[in-house]
Amino acid sequence: MDISSLGITGVAAITVICLLIGQAVKATRLDNKWIPIICGVCGMALGIAAMYIMPEFPATDYITAAAVGIVSGLAATGINQAAKQIGGK
C-alpha cells in the first residue's frame, strides 16, 4: 500500500496552508483568540475544495470533507503551539 493512496498528502497540505493563514492573521491587529476559528473555517473551505480538486482526498461527501478540513485547520494551531512549547517560549 502506497501512503499517497490514503490521502494523507491532501490533509497535510490543508494543515500547512492553514498554518500560513494563521501566521498571517497573527501579524495583523486582530486578536489572537480568533486564529483557531479562522484556521478551522479556512480548513473547512479547503477540505470541500480538495474533495473536487484532489482525486486521492479521503472524503467523498461534503460533511466528511468539511470535517477533515476543520480538523486539519485546527491541527495547524496545535502545531504552532507545540513548536512554541518545544522552543521554550
Side-chain angles (χ1 to χ4, degrees):
M1 174 186 269
D2 184 19
I3 194 165
S4 65
S5 66
L6 297 174
I8 301 295
T9 55
V11 174
I14 292 172
T15 303
V16 170
I17 292 168
C18 287
L19 179 64
L20 292 173
I21 291 170
Q23 291 296 318
V25 170
K26 189 174 181 178
T28 67
R29 300 184 83 175
L30 190 64
D31 193 3
N32 287 346
K33 71 179 182 181
W34 297 107
I35 292 175
I37 296 169
I38 292 168
C39 285
V41 171
C42 289
M44 179 181 69
L46 289 168
I48 292 171
M51 181 178 69
Y52 292 106
I53 296 169
M54 303 171 73
E56 73 276 356
F57 193 70
T60 56
D61 61 289
Y62 292 114
I63 301 295
T64 306
V68 168
I70 290 169
V71 169
S72 298
L74 293 176
T77 59
I79 290 169
N80 181 295
Q81 290 302 311
K84 281 185 179 180
Q85 296 297 322
I86 290 170
K89 286 187 178 181

